[in-house]
Amino acid sequence: MPTYASPSSIRDHFSVLLPPGKLHRDLQAFWGADPQYYLPEHKEIDLFLQHNINLAPPDLGIGFDCDDYAYAVKGCIGLWNLNRARIPASWCVGIIFGKFTWASGEHAANWYMNKNGVVELFEPQDHSFHPIRDCLGEVKLILL
């Protein structure tokens, strides 16, 4: 894949990596409004996380939990690009809600796709990275 991709090509590639059997029957998906997305490398996502998402709120329960972290990453990466990276396109970073090997029950996390077509999941709360195969299924939400 090139360094940039259209939402439809990202969706098509993502759907090959995450087969229909892992998708909940009520799946909601949004594949982006921009004409193209920048496909970042792992080291760029890692650098962003090191410098931007160091949230350590008190225990707020559902007042600030996994989905809040995932949305914060999605929003902050746009600000990171605007203020620091200055790539002329939004980054191919999204949100996924389902079941994963590293979390109990339903959980929200982030994902990105690089120029080689590798989709990697990452946990915004502890900055750990996971291969797409660590998605166990019951995916109810995918956002780009």
Side-chain angles (χ1 to χ4, degrees):
M1 293 182 101
T3 304
Y4 297 91
S6 69
S8 61
S9 66
I10 295 166
R11 179 198 63 230
D12 293 347
H13 187 72
F14 196 97
S15 64
V16 169
L17 299 173
L18 193 63
K22 289 197 174 186
L23 305 178
H24 190 275
R25 71 183 193 300
D26 297 328
L27 172 69
Q28 307 238 349
F30 174 70
W31 291 101
D34 294 338
Q36 67 177 1
Y37 287 83
Y38 172 67
L39 304 173
E41 295 300 321
H42 179 99
K43 65 183 178 184
E44 292 173 293
I45 299 296
D46 192 43
L47 181 66
F48 160 76
L49 289 170
Q50 288 176 28
H51 290 281
N52 288 278
I53 304 297
N54 295 311
L55 305 171
D59 183 13
L60 296 177
I62 60 171
F64 200 96
D65 59 4
C66 63
D67 60 311
D68 299 297
Y69 275 98
Y71 282 107
V73 164
K74 177 68 177 153
C76 287
I77 204 141
L79 293 172
W80 172 260
N81 187 40
L82 175 69
N83 295 319
R84 174 126 185 226
R86 299 190 180 273
I87 304 294
S90 294
W91 288 29
C92 182
V93 172
I95 298 168
I96 185 168
F97 188 83
K99 292 188 175 181
F100 308 97
T101 59
W102 71 90
S104 61
E106 294 181 327
H107 189 67
N110 294 98
W111 63 272
Y112 77 96
M113 181 183 295
N114 71 19
K115 67 182 178 185
N116 297 319
V118 173
V119 172
E120 196 168 26
L121 307 172
F122 62 100
E123 175 56 57
Q125 295 181 66
D126 68 9
H127 303 180
S128 60
F129 288 84
H130 306 272
I132 190 73
R133 69 177 176 273
D134 282 358
C135 176
L136 298 174
E138 296 189 41
V139 174
K140 292 182 180 174
L141 176 67
I142 303 172
L143 295 175
L144 170 59

